[in-house]
Amino acid sequence: MENRSKSPEEQQDEVVIALMGNTGTGKSSFIQLLTGDKNARVGDTLDSETDDVVKIAFTDPVSGRKVVLVDTPGFDDSRDGRTDTEILRKISEFMLSEYDQHRKLNGAIFFHRMSDPRFGGQSRRALRIFRELCGAATFKNVVVLTTFWDRVNEQEGVAREEELKSNSNFFKDLVDGGARFMRHSRENSAARQVLDHIFTLSPTNVQIQQEIRVEGKSLEETAAGAAQREEINRMIAKHKKEMEDLNAEIATVKKGNEALKRELDEERAELRKKLLKWEDEKVDLKKGLDNESDLRKRLEDEIALQRETYEKAQQELRAELEKSKKEQNEALMMEVKRKAREAERAKRDAENALERRMSFKEMGQEIARGMPLVPTALAKPVFGTIGRGLDIFDRRKRSTK
């Protein structure tokens, strides 16, 4: 198989679908139907079949489109040592890897068994983490796929389905946000309908990618991490209360009743083991992603660079404004000086005229020479004639006196 890296354009052509839900809800059988791969393990039992986030790529024979199914471990993984925090971390790392490769999610399918008589605590926890991983803006890309309809009475199943859709404790907020309820009957036609629906959806990023990559949050600070932290704290408080009650009961056991005391000691040891497990999980959640500190430093460096670039741009802008202001002041001063020179020149001309005792005729001709828009050949005789008349009038006036 060729391992060359794919361009963003090629990756965008791929339809990426995340499969989530508890173990034994039918994810593997759904994969088997769509891909035609009979070697895909079918986890219809309550034992986990998925050890890690697994990508299954195939070409849809009907549309010819490239599809990548992403199978994730269930949050109720039954194997020893696997915790919900570890699963959350694995899914988060996958989502961030997709984000870094500029690949968006076309759809997210949450599998739910209709044969479950009640929506238990583990199902609620898995749904809550799924909801916070995706975020309300991505609900329109979600399919709630109900499975195992062959193990439930039709009328009972329909009533249960309606309750899941309308009850705020279950899927109501997802449905209100645009999520689609669909049924899976273990037939290819049913799986085909789900795929055709997701083909119509626009690719999107999920909330945890935005929180960690854009907002710079740690895993514990994300909405999904906060939901897991609350669950951890709840379980720690629960086990501590159980431990207190058990210690009080052991203190009341009468001396000589060794069998009961031994039984209670074994129960206390088991309870202490569970408490330590949750305490360790709390530490793991706080530690976050393996490369989280590097990512946060990279984000801080990027923010510092952006701030430095912004401040430099502001300084350059201020310098330009100061330069412009200086140039405007200089131009204004030059204009003032020019007008002052013109006024000074006009004053000198008037003083010179008085000193020379010009005749009115000469003054008229001088005025004519100062009129650039009127031809001198026309203005000089006119103003000269007017001036000569004023000279005659002035002489008669003086002679009369």
Side-chain angles (χ1 to χ4, degrees):
M1 180 181 290
E2 189 178 7
N3 291 324
R4 71 176 182 85
S5 60
K6 298 177 182 178
S7 67
E9 290 76 15
E10 290 176 308
Q11 294 172 349
Q12 191 62 47
D13 287 341
E14 293 180 340
V15 179
V16 183
I17 307 171
L19 313 180
M20 300 185 191
N22 290 335
T23 56
T25 52
K27 288 182 291 181
S28 295
S29 61
F30 178 80
I31 293 170
Q32 191 179 83
L33 284 171
L34 282 184
T35 62
D37 183 5
K38 302 301 180 182
N39 294 321
R41 292 183 296 178
V42 179
D44 287 350
T45 67
L46 294 183
D47 293 327
S48 175
E49 294 287 346
T50 305
D51 179 62
D52 210 334
V53 175
V54 179
K55 296 169 67 174
I56 305 98
F58 69 98
T59 300
D60 175 40
V62 177
S63 65
R65 300 184 69 176
K66 297 177 181 178
V67 181
V68 177
L69 301 178
V70 183
D71 194 11
T72 63
F75 283 101
D76 60 342
D77 197 318
S78 57
R79 284 163 302 174
D80 292 339
R82 176 60 61 88
T83 66
D84 285 355
T85 298
E86 183 180 353
I87 293 169
L88 173 61
R89 183 166 59 245
K90 286 181 177 293
I91 294 175
S92 300
E93 287 173 345
F94 166 77
M95 292 295 185
L96 295 176
S97 174
E98 293 292 285
Y99 182 88
D100 292 341
Q101 296 178 56
H102 309 288
R103 183 169 16 209
K104 296 183 178 182
L105 198 67
N106 294 75
I109 304 177
F110 187 87
F111 289 75
H112 176 70
R113 286 186 299 264
M114 293 304 293
S115 56
D116 291 347
R118 55 189 294 272
F119 203 82
Q122 185 60 51
S123 296
R124 290 174 189 267
R125 291 194 292 274
L127 175 58
R128 185 182 179 192
I129 293 178
F130 171 80
R131 181 192 295 120
E132 303 298 357
L133 272 168
C134 294
T138 314
F139 288 172
K140 60 184 181 298
N141 290 71
V142 169
V143 171
V144 179
L145 191 59
T146 52
T147 59
F148 292 92
W149 280 87
D150 55 337
R151 298 185 184 180
V152 65
N153 175 276
E154 177 70 18
Q155 184 176 358
E156 180 185 353
V158 170
R160 191 175 297 168
E161 181 185 44
E162 187 57 36
E163 183 183 10
L164 291 173
K165 291 180 182 179
S166 59
N167 195 317
S168 58
N169 291 322
F170 306 140
F171 295 93
K172 184 178 185 302
D173 57 341
L174 273 80
V175 173
D176 291 344
R180 178 86 170 267
F181 253 73
M182 303 185 77
R183 298 180 184 181
H184 180 46
S185 59
R186 303 199 201 204
E187 295 179 359
N188 184 268
S189 58
R192 176 84 244 163
Q193 288 179 355
V194 176
L195 189 60
D196 288 341
H197 169 66
I198 292 177
F199 280 164
T200 67
L201 305 177
S202 299
T204 184
N205 289 322
V206 296
Q207 179 168 278
I208 200 164
Q209 294 170 328
Q210 169 75 18
E211 290 177 310
I212 294 178
R213 280 293 186 265
V214 180
E215 299 173 19
K217 293 182 178 180
S218 67
L219 179 62
E220 186 183 24
E221 292 169 337
T222 64
Q228 178 61 7
R229 184 180 64 247
E230 288 178 14
E231 177 61 18
I232 291 172
N233 290 336
R234 188 186 71 81
M235 293 302 295
I236 289 175
K238 175 178 177 291
H239 289 326
K240 283 184 175 180
K241 179 64 169 61
E242 291 174 348
M243 183 69 78
E244 291 175 3
D245 294 342
L246 188 57
N247 286 333
E249 184 177 356
I250 291 174
T252 62
V253 175
K254 295 181 179 180
K255 188 175 181 179
N257 195 346
E258 297 299 327
L260 178 58
K261 188 175 184 302
R262 194 163 43 249
E263 181 181 341
L264 292 175
D265 283 340
E266 291 175 359
E267 187 177 344
R268 180 167 59 181
E270 185 65 27
L271 189 57
R272 184 179 291 111
K273 183 179 177 181
K274 291 180 180 179
L275 185 58
L276 288 174
K277 170 185 171 292
W278 285 106
E279 293 282 4
D280 289 342
E281 195 163 348
K282 185 174 183 178
V283 173
D284 288 342
L285 181 62
K286 188 172 289 293
K287 184 175 70 174
L289 304 176
D290 292 337
N291 61 345
E292 191 168 282
S293 58
D294 294 338
L295 294 173
R296 290 177 71 86
K297 186 178 186 307
R298 187 174 69 183
L299 182 64
E300 289 171 358
D301 291 343
E302 184 177 342
I303 292 173
L305 179 61
Q306 290 177 353
R307 184 182 294 114
E308 181 181 345
T309 302
Y310 172 78
E311 290 176 352
K312 183 178 179 182
Q314 289 292 100
Q315 290 175 356
E316 291 176 352
L317 179 60
R318 284 193 293 269
E320 287 293 328
L321 290 174
E322 288 294 330
K323 180 180 177 182
S324 176
K325 185 177 179 181
K326 183 179 179 181
E327 290 175 350
Q328 289 177 359
N329 289 338
E330 289 177 352
L332 180 61
M333 289 301 297
M334 290 177 65
E335 180 67 14
V336 169
K337 289 178 180 180
R338 184 185 67 79
K339 290 183 178 181
R341 286 195 300 270
E342 290 180 352
E344 184 65 26
R345 184 165 54 248
K347 179 182 177 184
R348 285 198 305 270
D349 290 345
E351 290 174 348
N352 292 336
L354 289 173
E355 288 176 0
R356 294 199 308 268
R357 304 287 298 180
M358 284 185 179
S359 68
F360 285 112
K361 180 181 177 181
E362 291 172 333
M363 292 177 65
Q365 291 173 344
E366 184 70 22
I367 291 171
R369 280 194 295 271
M371 299 177 66
L373 298 180
V374 180
T376 304
L378 175 63
K380 187 174 180 181
V382 172
F383 281 95
T385 302
I386 295 172
R388 184 178 180 184
L390 290 173
D391 286 337
I392 295 171
F393 176 78
D394 185 57
R395 282 197 297 271
R396 287 180 178 177
K397 185 177 180 181
R398 284 199 299 269
S399 64
T400 302
K401 290 180 179 180

